[in-house]
Amino acid sequence: MKLFTRLKTRLPKLRLPLKHLSFKIKKRQVLQSFAIGILFIAAILGGTAYFELPPGIQVSEFIQSQSENKADLLDVVAIADFSGPTRMIGQDLAQGFKDAAAAGNISNDVRLIIRDDRGDANVVAALADGAAAGFSTLAVIGPTQAAGYQDMITSLEEGMVPGLVPIGPPNSKGSDKWIFALQPSQQRQGEFVSNILLKSKGGSSAVFITYDGDSNNGYASGFQKVYTKNSKDKFALKTWPKNPDAESIEQLIKAISNYDYVAFSLPTTDAVQLVKALRDSKYAGQLVGFGGASLPTFPEQFQKFPKEILSPGFYTNGMMSVTPFLPSMADEQARVLINSYQKKNRSDPSWAYAYGYDAGYLLSHFIEKLKQETPEWKKLPPEELRKNFQTYLLSLNGNQFKGGAFTGQIRLDQNQERDVPPTLVSFKNGKQIPYLLQYGTDASRFNFTEKIADNQIQLDNRVYDLVPVIFTGLIPREISFINLEKRTFTAEMDIWFRGGIAINADDIFFPALFTDNPSFTVLESSDTKTEKYRLFRYRGVFKFEALAKDLALGQLPLAVAFRHKSLDSSKLRFVIDEVNMGTGTTIIRDMNKAEVLAPEMDYRAETAGLAIENDIVNSLGNPVSATGERNFSEFKASYGLRKKDAMLGSYVGSKLDWRFSFGIAFILAIMSILPKLFKGVFAERKKLSRLISLECGFIAIFFVEVGLFSSPILDKTNSILLLTLQNSFSAFYYFATAASLNLIVRWIIEKQKSKKTALQGSLKVLLSTLIYSTFFGFYYTDVLNRDILPVLAASSVILTVVGLALRELILDALGGITIGLEGAIKPGDWVHINAQDHNIDGVIEELGWRNVRIHSRDGLVHFIPNSILIQKAVSNASSSGGYERVEIPFGVSPTANLQLLNEIITEGIGELLTDNPFVDHTKPIRTVCEEIESRGVQLNVQIFYRADQSADNLSTIVLELVNRLLREHNALPFMSIALKDK
């Protein structure tokens, strides 16, 4: 007791060190896990960075960019109006540049610095001085209005800093070497527009309205230059009131109401007041807007006016403006960017956004080229980089075409201005619609003679073609009979043409036509004074181009293009009739609704795109072409189809860059081997470790396939090898899925309450066979597209032969199921089995799908086949609490008093076994007379004893007691009696 008390008093002192030791162990484990995690992440990032795969390459670039001094980044200064009257142009311009910089991956090379000039000329000059004096300034973008333009170019010329001007400069530049305009000068745009008006409309009087202080407006100068050539034409220049009140506006309206054309270049707010006043006064002439009035969002400024609410488009319908960019006239490359912008912003990009994007595109292209030519380009002094950028921009002069992003090919003239005439548009129901007469897409031609054709306009010494516009659209009615071997498909489509020229059905040429001529039907034809409308239904077989890997992934890029047979781009220009066509999303919706793709084709439309391209066609020997080539305006409709049962990898590959796919595959491959590396953690979770390895490896292979088929690695691979690769990946997926399902099923079976039963073992084998056979059948029929019936027929014969050969195994498996379903015996039970040659008495250790394992009392392990076990008599001692009746026989003298001896022996044995733990004391001990003979009487002592204990010791002590009692009562038999168990 003293020792216990002493130990109890010392126990609190012992707890503290033990608790401290436990905390140290846990802390060490946490630190070890943390260190292992850090090493694992470092290995992944290092491996992916070495192979230039994500995410390592991104982290490497980020660290590299952060390690560099931010002062080393080059500055691109955007000087624009972000809060003044033309703030919409400045905001769209900056956003376009940022998006282009992000797409070109130059965000870590240059930074865009926003400088708000608020539309003030003095602020423009001051900001330009600061930008030109900046040591790290690479270029300046701006301004977005004519105010302060001259001061800005003076500063940039003196500082020798390249300037990208997104708008047209007020006038054609002279000897400026550092200024590059992405649009023609405002004066030239004014000349372009006024010449078209004189040619098409026939009006002879025009007035141009500018705000006070903008008397040298370039648009107005262009109008004045054209209208003063002919004494019959009347032109006037008016100024918008400084403080526009109702009276001053009314006076201005009265002064200009008699002119055929009212052109204006005003801030958006003033332009709205002018247009509203003219429309309210029922002005019947033509309105032409420049500046803010040329933005596609200009009609939104009138939404709150009552007349606009009652009659949408009341103020802007019919109003003309110029825009350097129009989505309905964009080429295929621009249409991709336009679709992306529409999905993100749910609206069309403005021309300001487009030209801001193209400015960023030019800069991205320059830096990409510089990196290739000079890897250590960042070590160059800023003045040398500015000079290199100037040289790059000068290379865009002449006939050197460079691919553009939004606005097509970028070509600069000798004045370093974009040699592209503007697009004349008119507003209709809030949208900009191309005017029926436009300038051609061909480059201008020099002309020093006085004569020009009726469809041409000459500005100075340059001649431009005037081209009628034809609005066109295409609606597919049926796409069928896709032949993957010949790369052809049959299509039926409705095509309409609307414009000033009548188009006949046989005037249209399809470059991708596989047959000689398509069949056509005239569905509708109508003519008005200004427009001629034709609707045709064409049907033919067309060719399509697709890589073998696209076909392997179930992707089909189909396209239908057409152009006029004889009228090239100098005589006709196609424009997408977006009013009647809708967007790509609506086209896909209508195609699916109308079931253009027959359901039995197993394809569905996913993407649709419309574009207008300039197609260069060989025209050798044609006197019309001096170069042997002719440009045609070509309409192109593209559709992306995908098989309905295409693999998941096809979809992931279309959304994910192939480098990311390989990076994810590398990470998953590392994760799949983690259970092998950390065996201690998964020592008691072997099935979980196998499942993790299997699933991570499965997904890793999936991303390997995605990256492989999405990358250019397999572009030139033949279709047979591609099909073999695809089937191999599919076979792995089916096998891995079957293995995963089999592992989960086995796991569920083993988690049941009754463990290691015959039913479990047999179910494992049968379900595994069923799972793998089922998945093989799916693979054989769905992937290989083979008929399963011949396989089943051959399998039946093989299974018959195999079944006869493995008859015993099958019977054993079925016997195991029978044993498991009955549940008569289970592991741990003590059983007695009556075999042919000997009896088996032992404990069941395992019930397998083939046999039962029994450990007998003599130490031997017996394996009894299930098919034999179910035919034998099996006694289960464990079903009665684990006890069995043991009979101990002995003999007595035939002259003894049996009743007395029975009582004495039973009482004596009871007292002997009172403390024996293996005896069932709930059941009485009995002494039974079995046989009476002349030589003696045979008695049996019946005791319920533990079945898993040997009865030899019990028999010994009981017989010793019986022998003593028989001697005392002189009742020994004349002969010895052998011990017999029953």
Side-chain angles (χ1 to χ4, degrees), residues 297-340:
T297 56
F298 182 69
E300 298 175 4
Q301 309 298 319
F302 300 88
Q303 290 178 348
K304 297 181 180 180
F305 296 126
K307 292 182 180 180
E308 185 73 18
I309 295 174
L310 293 174
S311 177
F314 174 82
Y315 289 103
T316 56
N317 276 355
M319 191 187 85
M320 300 178 67
S321 66
V322 293
T323 177
F325 168 76
L326 196 63
S328 62
M329 302 175 73
D331 59 18
E332 190 171 10
Q333 182 179 1
R335 292 300 304 187
V336 174
L337 298 173
I338 292 170
N339 291 337
S340 176

Side-chain angles (χ1 to χ4, degrees), residues 728-980:
S728 300
F729 279 113
S730 299
F732 174 80
Y733 298 147
Y734 277 88
F735 170 78
T737 304
S740 302
L741 181 60
N742 181 56
L743 186 62
I744 294 172
V745 169
R746 294 172 70 93
W747 200 353
I748 293 174
I749 291 175
E750 293 178 3
K751 283 291 183 181
Q752 301 303 311
K753 292 182 179 179
S754 57
K755 297 182 178 179
K756 297 184 179 179
T757 65
L759 178 61
Q760 287 179 338
S762 300
L763 282 178
K764 288 179 186 178
V765 175
L766 293 179
L767 289 178
S768 296
T769 305
L770 179 63
I771 289 172
Y772 283 108
S773 300
T774 302
F775 276 87
F776 172 77
F778 283 130
Y779 172 77
Y780 191 81
T781 56
D782 293 346
V783 177
L784 300 182
N785 295 321
R786 301 291 181 86
D787 188 4
I788 196 67
L789 292 179
V791 177
L792 294 177
S795 300
S796 62
V797 177
I798 296 174
L799 288 175
T800 302
V801 176
V802 173
L804 292 175
L806 303 178
R807 178 175 176 275
E808 299 299 331
L809 288 178
I810 297 174
L811 291 176
D812 289 340
L814 295 176
I817 294 177
T818 303
I819 294 172
L821 290 175
E822 289 180 350
I825 56 176
K826 60 182 180 297
D829 287 355
W830 194 273
V831 296
H832 301 278
I833 301 175
N834 295 322
Q836 294 179 353
D837 51 350
H838 67 283
N839 297 334
I840 299 175
D841 185 7
V843 62
I844 297 177
E845 291 187 339
E846 182 180 3
L847 296 178
W849 70 274
R850 280 195 58 204
N851 51 51
V852 177
R853 188 173 69 190
I854 300 177
H855 196 156
S856 62
R857 186 177 285 118
D858 56 8
L860 296 177
V861 178
H862 304 270
F863 296 91
I864 303 176
N866 293 330
S867 58
I868 296 177
L869 184 66
I870 61 177
Q871 300 175 17
K872 302 297 179 183
V874 180
S875 302
N876 189 350
S878 300
S879 62
S880 59
Y883 295 94
E884 65 174 344
R885 191 178 69 182
V886 176
E887 295 184 357
I888 303 175
F890 62 92
V892 297
S893 172
T895 60
N897 188 346
L898 294 180
Q899 183 177 2
L900 178 63
L901 284 176
N902 191 356
E903 294 176 356
I904 293 173
I905 292 173
T906 302
E907 182 180 356
I909 294 174
E911 292 178 356
L912 176 67
L913 302 178
T914 299
D915 297 329
N916 195 316
F918 304 117
V919 177
D920 186 1
H921 298 286
T922 62
K923 296 179 180 180
I925 299 174
R926 297 187 303 173
T927 304
V928 180
C929 178
E930 281 203 353
E931 188 178 358
I932 300 177
E933 298 178 353
S934 57
R935 56 183 181 180
V937 179
Q938 184 71 29
L939 300 179
N940 277 342
V941 177
Q942 297 179 349
I943 303 172
F944 284 90
Y945 198 69
R946 288 285 300 180
D948 56 353
Q949 300 297 320
S950 175
D952 294 343
N953 184 47
L954 176 67
S955 299
T956 302
I957 60 176
V958 169
L959 290 177
E960 287 179 352
L961 174 64
V962 169
N963 184 55
R964 181 173 59 81
L965 294 175
L966 292 179
R967 287 180 181 276
E968 291 177 354
H969 291 81
N970 195 23
L972 287 172
F974 300 109
M975 310 178 55
S976 61
I977 302 174
L979 178 67
K980 182 176 72 173

Side-chain angles (χ1 to χ4, degrees), residues 534-560:
R534 302 288 186 273
L535 175 61
F536 307 109
R537 176 163 293 177
Y538 290 92
R539 183 179 183 85
V541 180
F542 301 88
K543 296 178 290 185
F544 68 90
E545 295 180 0
L547 296 174
K549 70 175 186 179
D550 292 332
L551 301 182
L553 292 174
Q555 301 172 351
L556 285 183
L558 306 185
V560 175

Side-chain angles (χ1 to χ4, degrees), residues 554-588:
Q555 301 172 351
L556 285 183
L558 306 185
V560 175
F562 60 83
R563 57 178 173 83
H564 200 280
K565 286 183 178 179
S566 58
L567 300 181
D568 58 19
S569 57
S570 66
K571 296 180 177 61
L572 180 144
R573 188 172 180 183
F574 283 126
V575 174
I576 298 172
D577 193 358
E578 289 190 331
V579 175
N580 298 319
M581 282 292 298
T583 62
T585 304
T586 59
I587 293 173
I588 294 299

